[in-house]
Structures are given as structure tokens and as C-alpha cells.
Amino acid sequence: MTTKKRVESITDMDVDFSKWYTDVVLKAQLAAYSGVRGCMYIHPYGTALWENIRTELDIRFRATGHENVMLPMFIPESLLQKEADHVEGFAPEVAWVTHGGNEKLTERLCVRPTSEALFCDYYKGVIHSYRDLPKLYNQWCSVVRWEKTTRPFLRTAEFYWQEGHTMHETAEDAMEETERMLNVYAEFCEKVLAIPVIKGRKTEKEKFAGAVATYTIEALMHDGKALQAGTSHYFGDGFARAFDITFTGRDGTIKTPHQTSWGMSTRIIGGIIMTHGDNSGLVLPPIVAPIQVVIIPIAQNKPDVMETTEKIRERLAKICRVILDNDDANSPGWKFSEYEMKGVPLRVECGPRDIEKGTCVVVRRDNGEKITVNMDCLEEQIPALLQAVHEGLFLKALKRREETTGSAASMSEMVSLAADIKGGLLKAMWCGDEACEIKLKEEAGVTSRCIPFEQMPISDVCVCCGKPAEQMLYWGKAY
Amino acid sequence: MTTKKRVESITDMDVDFSKWYTDVVLKAQLAAYSGVRGCMYIHPYGTALWENIRTELDIRFRATGHENVMLPMFIPESLLQKEADHVEGFAPEVAWVTHGGNEKLTERLCVRPTSEALFCDYYKGVIHSYRDLPKLYNQWCSVVRWEKTTRPFLRTAEFYWQEGHTMHETAEDAMEETERMLNVYAEFCEKVLAIPVIKGRKTEKEKFAGAVATYTIEALMHDGKALQAGTSHYFGDGFARAFDITFTGRDGTIKTPHQTSWGMSTRIIGGIIMTHGDNSGLVLPPIVAPIQVVIIPIAQNKPDVMETTEKIRERLAKICRVILDNDDANSPGWKFSEYEMKGVPLRVECGPRDIEKGTCVVVRRDNGEKITVNMDCLEEQIPALLQAVHEGLFLKALKRREETTGSAASMSEMVSLAADIKGGLLKAMWCGDEACEIKLKEEAGVTSRCIPFEQMPISDVCVCCGKPAEQMLYWGKAY
């Protein structure tokens, strides 16, 4: 039976980007809205995508010497309050547990919004001597931040992430770690997710609550807005002092260790959607795609088609994540649309004429290109094509970022560029004064994204106040 | 430098089993007490053990067609209340979130103690037709139950688990799933953890809140108490009716699906400790041991020892999880004790005399046996010895269970056996009346563990009331 069922279309991204985004999340079956305020039901497809991201990151964390631990989801109020800046930053957005069963708790517990306070309590028990350092921990968990407005993956009350937490003998060691993990994130985004990122430091205004310095990787989305894709924080010894964590140094004196933390979350799934997606739906980077190749038989009731496609599936299953969709309730055309919506990187079509010729047709999701492949060469061609899709995605995203990144030498230029171009990043000099940062937000509607490690001076004066400026910043609208 | 540092000893398990247990948890570095009431800090070693358990279970869940999903950690009070028995069972032991930031919530949220209510809400959105069934889901997460008294791994306020949740077209399909997953758990316990288990059904009194039937696997601990190692529940269509979940059947009429859930938790780590542990510490089943083999150089400052042991490590790293401990701050004797405490299945010793002979000494953790192995044969011998340790552990545990399982034909025999033998399971006939179950608890201090699938009738009358009885039950003291 072949019906004419059609995949429902999604909103055009140029008409309503926000609606397009939500359509993709729902129709690609990544996640659904839940009956719990601001929380998602993440479907098997979205969960598999996150699990693949997790696997790839975990390999990198282990290769850099980190170990996973599991700490509680609750933080007693008194523990959260130990570091003043930290509690000030997070208290307004935490969920509070006040009752256990029918009894009121003597002390409120917050559901962790992040776990610095818990790790500090943990460190106290495991750090005694310089021989115990560094401690290089990571935790995979979910955290809760009571956000007013939420959007699937981008901003949800509960979200999933990994949080790295480390302690070091010296400030230099900790700063090195902070940069090392930012580089791990950048390499992961570019080499695994095909998302080009800009590495830099956050301004004082934008840094993490309680940190001395916050490093960030910023990615440009399809609508011209920036997404903070991962952050790495250097804390100095502030938390350690507040939590009274000490160790006996090499010289026998009592010292205070230096700390970092770094995190990447399910928000990066929003980043994948908005970097690579198009008007046919999701486009997934091959390395983390739950389905890398879908095989669709053409005229499957004809001789040999079922057998041949099943044999292809068996062969490809040894080298990639592949499925064969031979459900006869749906037409090949419906299936094409369905797997385009789900962002499957490669589609293999195979029908009677292909079998006759000993070939099949491979279609790339990233650019629609159709490649005729000799059936005997699939084991060489499929991995090469997956790699080509990855590179195609990365270069397309990089080109877009370069084309939409502007440069402003004056405040009026900043205002007109921010209003004129369809988003994009803006490069401009900054004197370092927070007042200018605030004014730029008020007048041009942009926030500082980062002070990039790669500095390319535009002028020598601040775009806002005209005073001497040595730093070039990226500015933009952000998620 | 070789110091005479000694591994601290632990409490003798025959003197104080409970203290022995806690000593092992802490000194094998599985977990530490946290500053959060009833919650643990799980160290890297304990986390790695749980991750290996997770990997092995996940393989089995996927092989039986299940997909992972991620649902919120919060359940709105109104959702929890939809199924009467369920809320009655869990409400007294849940943690309640009442405030988000500084605002009081209009509806309280409980931190999930289990997720039947959420899955039912999720099913409503994804089940429409018989073609959508079965839905075979699993979730890895932590849950919270506000327990009065807690013990690491065995009973903690927050614990980690997997919860399988499935929906089926017919009652038969759901019952089949319930049994299938109990069998998966039993196979996992015996083949992976080397823990022999008894499969059976819980009595009405002991079943899960809201279930029609609860199946269980029960394992016998070192102190003679039973541990419920995993459960699988059949719900019929009770939840589905309460949550108004329906689908269009093959005949076009509206039908109600049938449901199961099943779970295994970090409690099983307590089961591993209390099944295999001894007075030297933890003993880990090889398949899930974070370190399967530790290599300890003897007289490591002598020629060739460092090089040879490093070469052995490189070779073994290709076939198992191996570490080489060549820290010269600790003596070999100290290391022997340390890795015995941590339960590492095999220790490889290698010193100058071994190198001369071209052999090394392999020591089994389960029975202390020392085996001289030709250095060229390590790749064959190590996997075989790991397998031997697994089998040794399983047989020892099985033998102990058989030796300590008693049989009672009368109430007086039940009372004296329960008081006399150092724990162990007791087989006895039961009429099916809950009054007798309660009386047995009051008079003999035992609870019903399960109605085993393998029935071996002892008599034809109830051990308590003397009325006709067809069912043989296992009774015991339990964790």
C-alpha cells in the first residue's frame, strides 16, 4: 500500500525564525512540551543526540585526565550562601525544597543550579596535601534555574549538562586548565558539531557569579544572533577561602588551592539546530547524528529490492549508524521529506534500475547533491561522504559568519549596523568601562559577546566614549 | 623512598556487619557522606562502577528494543494525584518544591520518587493508534525518596537508577514484557555481577504502589539478609484509565493500553559489596570492575622492572582495564592491601626474579590463589583468570545461599529457625491470607520475599494458620 501522506511543512525561517525553530524541535521529534512548567519531554531521537554528544565530550574529558563523580542534586541554603557573589547570582533563580513528606525541613534545600558549593564541600574531604592535587572532576547531571520565559533546549527550567570542577596547587595551573577546557570545547564544536566558534573572555559584567574570569566560545546562529556554546571559569581561591579548603604545600606550609569550573549543556542542541538547520528541517552533523544513513528502497515490491537494500543495511551497519525504512505504508517521497526533517546526513536510494546497474544513489542532506555510487564501493564512499557533509556544514557556517560580521568605528555606525544588517556579529573597540557597555546595550541593543583571544584592532579609541581603547570586542544580540 | 605506611584495617564482618559495610564503602573509596542529609558524594571509583553497570544494562535494554528518553525531575502535585494508590504510596516520602526564586509556586512540585505519572502524561502525546504500540522506553536518572534512616547505596534520599516504562496493545503483551525484563535483570545479576538471584512475585502486601503485580529478584547477602535487587511491575490499564490514555485499535474502536515499569538502582552496589566482600574489603565482579587488573612491580628500582611492567601494562591495556602502580612512595605490601580493599579482581606481581624466569605471579582476589604465568601467555591467561574469578564468586555465593536456606513446616519451626540460624532465607507454605503474613512478621520477624516461579511444595498447609496452602514462599529479613 502506498499512500500519499505528506510530511507537514514547517514555518519558513525567513518569515518567523522563532516559529521555525520550534517547528523543527517538535517535528524532527527531538522534544515535546511537558506538563511541567518550563521543562521538556526529550524524545528518543533527542536523547540519542545528547548521548552521542555526551560520549564524544566524555572521551575528551578522560583524555585530559578528568574523572566523573556524582554529587547530590540538593544544596542546603547555608552551603549556597558561603560565597557571597555566587549566592547573589543564583538565589533569585533557584527552586527551593521546603518539605520532605509531610514535614517542614529545618533548612531549605535548593535544587542545584550549578554545583560549585557542593564540590567545595566535597573537596574538603579529599584534599589534604599537594599530593592530592590536582583534582580533576566532571559530573553529568541536570540542573534547575527558575527562568521566567523558556524555549526548548535554549532556555529551560531544568536542563542537562556536564559540569567540570577542578582544584589546583597554583593559580597558573588553574588558569591553564581553564584555557585547556575552553580549547576542548572549541575543538569539539568545530571538529564534531561542525560549528565554528570564537574563543574569548567575558567582560566583568557578563562573567559567571563568583568567578575571577569567564572564558567563552561564541557561535553565530542562522538569524544573526550569537549563542554562548560553552564556558570555562577561573575562580582563583575565592571559593576555597569561603569554604575553608586548604592543603599542606611542598614546603610544609598550609596553602589554599585554586579552582576552575566549565560546562556545556543541552543548549548546544539549540545551537546545532540554528547553525545547520534549513527550511526542510533539521540538519545534523554526521558524528553525533543518531541515524547517519537512511536507506530507502524504491519500488520495494519489485524483485530483489527488499533483499538488496537489506544487504546494504547489513554491510553499512558495520561502519555507521544506519537504518532501512521499508515500511510500505509510506511512499518513498514521504520518507525523503521525513528524514530530511530529521536531519539524517545521508540518504541511500535503491530501486530496480539501480540494482540493474549495480549502483545506488546517495543524497547529501547538507546541499542536496546526488551521487551515484557503485554498490561495491559503499564501504569506502559512505564514510568519505559523511566526512564531506561535516566539512560542507562547517564551511557553510563559517562563510555565513564571515559575511555577516561587521566592523564599527563609531557609535552611529554601531547603531546603524546593529539595526541594518540582519543580525550578525559586530567588531568594535572598547575602553574597558562598564558604563560604555551599558550604553551600547541601550543605544544599539547589543551586548558584549567576548574579548576574543585573537585581537584585530580596528582603531585605538572606544566606539562609545572615544577614550583610548586597546581591546577589540565582539558585540551582538544573543540567546 | 619506601615507607611502611599500612592500609587501615576495617571492622571484622562477623563482629559488626553493619560497621564492616560502612568501612568498605568509605575505605574502598566508593562514596563519602555528604553535607546533604541522606545523600552521598560518589567518588570516581564508585561512579566508574555505576557507569559500567549502566553500560551493561543499557546494552541489554537496547537488545530488547528499548529507547532512552529524558523526562523532567519534577511532578506537579495534581499529576501525581491522578492515580490514587500511587499517590498514597509515595506522597509521604517525597520532597516538595514550593518556591521558585522568591516566588511561591501556585502548585507544589514533587521531586520524582519514580516517574509513572510523568510517563503517563508523555504517553498521551505519543500514543494514538495501535501502530504506535508498543512504546518501550527507559530513563537513566536519579530519584528522591525522603527516607528517615539512610545507609550509603542501600537506602539514600537521592539514588540513581534506570526506570523502564512501557505501553502495550494487550494485557498479554504487557505481562510478557514484565517477565522479559525480570529475566534480563536476573541474567544481568548472575552473568555480569556473579550474584545468584531468586525470581518470583511479590505478595499483594509487598507490591509496588499502583501495580497489579510486582515481580522481583531477591539476592542473599553475607549476613543472611535478603536484598531486593530489581523489580518489574505490571500495571494493567489502571494508570492508563486514570490518565485517560487511549488508542485506536486494529478494529477501529478506542482502546486502553497496558503498562509496565521496571527498575534497578545504585542499591545493587550495596548488593555487590554484601555478596562478595570479605574482611580484606571489597571484591568486585570482573565484568564491571573499574580496574580489572593491577600490576605491582617488586623491587622496582632494580634493572628492567620498570620497563617490563610498563610493557605488560601496554599489552594488557588492549584486552582489559588495567593500571600499573609504580608509585615509589608506597611499598608493594601496602599496595597489595590497598587493591585488595578496592576489590580489584587480579593482581600481577613482577620483580627481578620473575623477569629472570620469564614469568609473573597473578593473584586472584576472590580466593587468594597465586598462579605463575609465563610472560608470553598473559593475553590468554588474564581473560581466562578474570572469567575464573567471576565463576568462583558466583559459585561461592550460590553455595552460601543453599547452605543457609532453611525450610519450616510449622510456626514454631519458623520462629526458631528465624532466631537460630544467622539469617538466611526460609521456605514455607502460605495460604495467601495477608493476616498470616502480618503474623509471621510479628512472631518470627520475617517478611515475605517472594513467591518463587520455581515452586517446591513443602507441605499442603499454611505454616501460620494451618489452612490449605498451595504456594511456597521465601521469607527472610530484608534490607
Side-chain angles (χ1 to χ4, degrees):
Chain A
M1 172 184 82
T2 303
T3 61
K4 283 204 180 139
K5 196 159 91 176
R6 285 189 57 190
V7 173
E8 282 175 87
S9 63
I10 53 173
T11 306
D12 188 304
M13 62 159 68
D14 293 317
V15 173
D16 185 342
F17 190 78
S18 171
K19 181 80 167 48
W20 168 85
Y21 176 81
T22 310
D23 283 354
V24 172
V25 168
L26 301 178
K27 293 188 179 161
Q29 291 170 41
L30 291 172
Y33 289 102
S34 83
V36 189
R37 186 186 159 287
C39 297
M40 292 179 288
Y41 291 148
I42 305 185
H43 291 306
Y45 198 58
T47 302
L49 176 57
W50 178 240
E51 287 177 341
N52 290 342
I53 289 170
R54 178 180 161 140
T55 301
E56 288 289 333
L57 280 172
D58 215 55
I59 289 168
R60 286 161 173 79
F61 299 157
R62 284 176 202 277
T64 42
H66 300 84
E67 300 180 297
N68 288 339
V69 293
M70 301 195 291
L71 266 48
M73 68 157 77
F74 298 128
I75 309 175
E77 190 163 15
S78 57
L79 203 62
L80 188 70
Q81 284 172 337
K82 283 202 176 181
E83 212 285 334
D85 290 339
H86 190 62
V87 67
E88 196 187 322
F90 283 104
E93 58 178 46
V94 298
W96 290 104
V97 172
T98 57
H99 290 73
N102 300 317
E103 282 170 33
K104 192 173 175 188
L105 305 184
T106 52
E107 180 181 16
R108 298 199 298 178
L109 303 171
C110 86
V111 182
R112 63 183 162 212
T114 179
S115 302
E116 277 73 12
L118 286 171
F119 272 86
C120 282
D121 190 55
Y122 179 50
Y123 290 139
K124 280 179 75 76
V126 295
I127 296 174
H128 308 290
S129 143
Y130 72 92
R131 291 195 64 135
D132 299 322
L133 296 171
K135 286 293 184 201
L136 306 173
Y137 295 129
N138 178 58
Q139 170 166 264
W140 290 97
C141 63
S142 71
V143 292
V144 170
R145 296 180 191 174
W146 213 252
E147 306 278 0
K148 297 272 179 218
T149 50
T150 59
R151 298 189 60 196
F153 295 112
L154 291 174
R155 195 173 291 277
T156 48
E158 180 183 9
F159 60 90
Y160 304 81
W161 78 347
Q162 60 66 219
E163 45 180 331
H165 292 269
T166 72
M167 272 292 195
H168 305 264
E169 209 179 329
T170 66
E172 292 67 39
D173 289 353
M175 304 243 293
E176 213 173 87
E177 166 82 3
T178 313
E179 287 186 38
R180 180 184 303 118
M181 299 322 289
L182 193 80
N183 285 329
V184 164
Y185 286 150
E187 186 266 350
F188 168 77
C189 280
E190 304 201 332
K191 298 286 166 47
V192 176
L193 305 183
I195 299 178
V197 294
I198 294 163
K199 294 188 278 190
R201 191 161 55 80
K202 286 281 179 193
T203 61
E204 286 298 299
K205 186 172 174 296
E206 299 285 332
K207 75 181 188 188
F208 184 81
V212 171
T214 289
Y215 297 121
T216 179
I217 47 171
E218 301 281 326
L220 182 71
M221 303 295 102
H222 239 308
D223 62 344
K225 285 194 193 167
L227 185 89
Q228 178 180 300
T231 49
S232 183
H233 316 290
Y234 168 65
F235 289 103
D237 59 4
F239 272 81
R241 286 183 189 280
F243 283 82
D244 196 24
I245 305 165
T246 58
F247 68 96
T248 307
R250 287 166 201 271
D251 60 1
T253 64
I254 301 299
K255 297 185 187 294
T256 309
H258 290 71
Q259 189 173 359
T260 86
S261 79
W262 27 278
M264 186 174 272
S265 77
T266 32
R267 185 164 222 235
I268 197 71
I269 293 179
I272 292 171
I273 298 168
M274 295 193 296
T275 302
H276 302 310
D278 62 22
N279 279 327
S280 300
L282 190 62
V283 181
L284 288 179
I287 299 175
V288 293
I291 305 167
Q292 296 175 308
V293 179
V294 57
I295 303 163
I296 298 176
I298 311 295
Q300 65 184 53
N301 54 343
K302 291 282 161 63
D304 296 340
V305 176
M306 290 289 261
E307 297 74 4
T308 305
T309 49
E310 172 54 25
K311 265 184 214 145
I312 295 175
R313 192 200 62 76
E314 279 169 26
R315 285 168 55 196
L316 291 183
K318 291 179 187 137
I319 52 166
C320 64
R321 294 184 289 272
V322 61
I323 63 163
L324 164 65
D325 185 347
N326 56 17
D327 183 349
D328 66 0
N330 300 314
S331 69
W334 184 91
K335 292 176 191 173
F336 294 172
S337 301
E338 171 72 5
Y339 294 102
E340 279 170 10
M341 181 68 79
K342 297 188 95 168
V344 176
L346 294 178
R347 171 174 90 222
V348 174
E349 305 172 6
C350 182
R353 268 177 293 177
D354 302 291
I355 293 171
E356 213 170 279
K357 290 184 283 180
T359 59
C360 45
V361 176
V362 182
V363 184
R364 282 173 62 162
R365 174 66 181 88
D366 63 320
N367 61 10
E369 194 188 339
K370 294 187 175 203
I371 305 109
T372 301
V373 173
N374 188 307
M375 207 97 75
D376 295 335
C377 303
L378 283 168
E379 279 85 353
E380 292 93 58
Q381 287 291 300
I382 293 292
L385 284 167
L386 287 171
Q387 178 63 23
V389 170
H390 172 89
E391 283 161 20
L393 289 175
F394 180 78
L395 291 175
K396 196 173 4 174
L398 186 63
K399 184 159 172 273
R400 196 172 63 236
R401 189 183 78 193
E402 284 170 356
E403 285 170 0
T404 57
T405 297
S407 217
S410 68
M411 192 67 173
S412 62
E413 207 179 351
M414 190 85 169
V415 172
S416 81
L417 274 173
D420 187 37
I421 62 164
K422 203 191 116 200
L425 292 167
L426 285 170
K427 293 191 272 193
M429 301 305 287
W430 178 56
C431 61
D433 190 342
E434 198 168 307
C436 291
E437 212 179 338
I438 292 168
K439 201 170 170 197
L440 274 161
K441 177 153 194 198
E442 286 169 358
E443 302 201 358
V446 293
T447 54
S448 71
R449 300 321 310 146
C450 70
I451 308 162
F453 294 155
E454 278 188 44
Q455 281 287 321
M456 296 149 284
I458 295 163
S459 74
D460 52 8
V461 294
C462 176
V463 71
C464 182
C465 66
K467 287 184 190 153
E470 287 174 4
Q471 289 177 322
M472 188 276 281
L473 263 67
Y474 279 99
W475 305 81
K477 287 164 186 152
Y479 278 94
Chain B
M1 172 184 79
T2 304
T3 61
K4 284 206 180 136
K5 197 159 89 176
R6 285 190 57 191
V7 174
E8 282 175 87
S9 63
I10 53 172
T11 306
D12 188 304
M13 64 159 67
D14 292 318
V15 172
D16 185 342
F17 190 78
S18 171
K19 181 80 167 48
W20 168 85
Y21 176 81
T22 310
D23 283 353
V24 172
V25 168
L26 301 178
K27 292 188 180 161
Q29 292 172 41
L30 291 173
Y33 290 101
S34 83
V36 189
R37 186 186 159 288
C39 296
M40 291 179 288
Y41 291 148
I42 305 185
H43 291 307
Y45 198 58
T47 302
L49 176 57
W50 178 241
E51 287 177 342
N52 290 342
I53 289 170
R54 178 180 163 142
T55 300
E56 287 290 333
L57 280 172
D58 216 54
I59 289 168
R60 287 162 173 79
F61 298 157
R62 285 175 202 277
T64 42
H66 301 84
E67 299 180 297
N68 288 338
V69 293
M70 301 195 291
L71 267 47
M73 67 157 78
F74 298 127
I75 309 175
E77 189 163 15
S78 58
L79 203 62
L80 188 69
Q81 284 172 338
K82 282 203 176 181
E83 211 286 333
D85 290 338
H86 191 62
V87 67
E88 196 187 322
F90 282 104
E93 58 177 48
V94 298
W96 290 104
V97 173
T98 57
H99 290 73
N102 300 316
E103 282 170 34
K104 192 172 177 189
L105 305 185
T106 52
E107 180 181 15
R108 298 199 298 178
L109 304 171
C110 86
V111 182
R112 62 183 162 213
T114 179
S115 302
E116 277 74 12
L118 285 171
F119 272 86
C120 282
D121 190 56
Y122 179 51
Y123 290 139
K124 280 179 75 77
V126 295
I127 297 174
H128 309 288
S129 144
Y130 72 91
R131 290 194 65 134
D132 300 321
L133 295 172
K135 285 291 183 202
L136 306 174
Y137 295 129
N138 178 58
Q139 171 167 263
W140 290 95
C141 62
S142 70
V143 292
V144 170
R145 296 180 190 174
W146 213 253
E147 306 278 0
K148 296 274 178 214
T149 49
T150 59
R151 299 189 59 195
F153 294 112
L154 290 174
R155 195 172 292 276
T156 48
E158 179 184 10
F159 60 90
Y160 304 81
W161 78 348
Q162 60 68 220
E163 44 180 331
H165 292 269
T166 71
M167 272 293 196
H168 304 264
E169 209 179 330
T170 66
E172 294 67 37
D173 289 352
M175 304 244 292
E176 213 173 88
E177 166 82 3
T178 314
E179 286 187 38
R180 180 185 304 119
M181 299 321 289
L182 193 80
N183 286 329
V184 165
Y185 286 150
E187 187 265 352
F188 169 77
C189 280
E190 304 201 332
K191 298 285 166 48
V192 176
L193 305 183
I195 299 177
V197 294
I198 293 163
K199 294 189 279 189
R201 192 161 54 80
K202 286 281 179 193
T203 61
E204 286 298 300
K205 185 172 175 295
E206 300 284 333
K207 77 181 187 188
F208 184 82
V212 171
T214 289
Y215 296 122
T216 178
I217 47 172
E218 301 280 327
L220 183 71
M221 302 296 102
H222 239 307
D223 62 344
K225 285 193 193 167
L227 184 90
Q228 178 181 300
T231 48
S232 184
H233 315 290
Y234 168 65
F235 289 103
D237 60 4
F239 272 82
R241 286 184 189 280
F243 283 81
D244 196 24
I245 306 164
T246 58
F247 67 96
T248 308
R250 287 165 201 273
D251 60 2
T253 65
I254 301 299
K255 297 187 186 294
T256 309
H258 291 72
Q259 187 173 1
T260 86
S261 79
W262 28 276
M264 186 174 273
S265 77
T266 32
R267 185 165 222 236
I268 197 71
I269 293 179
I272 292 171
I273 298 168
M274 296 193 295
T275 301
H276 302 310
D278 62 23
N279 279 328
S280 300
L282 190 62
V283 181
L284 288 179
I287 300 173
V288 293
I291 305 167
Q292 296 174 311
V293 178
V294 58
I295 303 163
I296 298 177
I298 312 294
Q300 66 185 52
N301 54 342
K302 291 281 161 63
D304 295 340
V305 176
M306 290 289 261
E307 297 75 6
T308 306
T309 49
E310 173 54 26
K311 264 185 216 147
I312 295 174
R313 191 199 64 74
E314 279 169 26
R315 284 167 55 196
L316 291 183
K318 292 180 188 138
I319 53 167
C320 65
R321 294 184 288 273
V322 60
I323 64 163
L324 164 65
D325 185 347
N326 56 18
D327 183 348
D328 66 0
N330 300 314
S331 69
W334 184 89
K335 292 175 191 173
F336 295 172
S337 302
E338 171 72 5
Y339 295 102
E340 279 170 11
M341 181 69 78
K342 297 187 96 168
V344 176
L346 294 178
R347 170 173 91 223
V348 175
E349 305 172 7
C350 182
R353 266 177 295 179
D354 302 291
I355 293 170
E356 212 170 281
K357 290 184 282 180
T359 59
C360 44
V361 176
V362 182
V363 185
R364 282 174 62 163
R365 174 66 181 90
D366 63 320
N367 61 9
E369 194 188 338
K370 294 188 176 202
I371 305 109
T372 302
V373 173
N374 189 307
M375 208 97 73
D376 295 335
C377 304
L378 283 167
E379 279 85 353
E380 293 92 57
Q381 287 291 298
I382 293 292
L385 284 167
L386 287 171
Q387 178 62 24
V389 171
H390 172 88
E391 282 161 20
L393 289 174
F394 180 78
L395 290 175
K396 197 176 358 176
L398 187 63
K399 185 159 173 274
R400 196 172 63 237
R401 188 183 80 194
E402 283 171 355
E403 285 171 359
T404 56
T405 298
S407 219
S410 67
M411 193 68 173
S412 62
E413 207 178 351
M414 191 83 167
V415 172
S416 81
L417 275 174
D420 188 35
I421 62 165
K422 202 192 117 199
L425 292 167
L426 286 170
K427 293 191 271 192
M429 300 304 288
W430 178 57
C431 61
D433 189 341
E434 199 168 306
C436 290
E437 214 178 337
I438 294 167
K439 201 171 169 196
L440 274 162
K441 178 155 193 197
E442 287 169 355
E443 302 201 359
V446 293
T447 54
S448 70
R449 301 321 310 146
C450 70
I451 308 161
F453 294 154
E454 277 187 45
Q455 280 288 321
M456 295 149 285
I458 295 162
S459 76
D460 52 8
V461 294
C462 176
V463 71
C464 181
C465 66
K467 287 185 191 150
E470 286 175 3
Q471 289 178 320
M472 189 276 282
L473 264 67
Y474 279 99
W475 305 81
K477 288 163 186 151
Y479 277 95

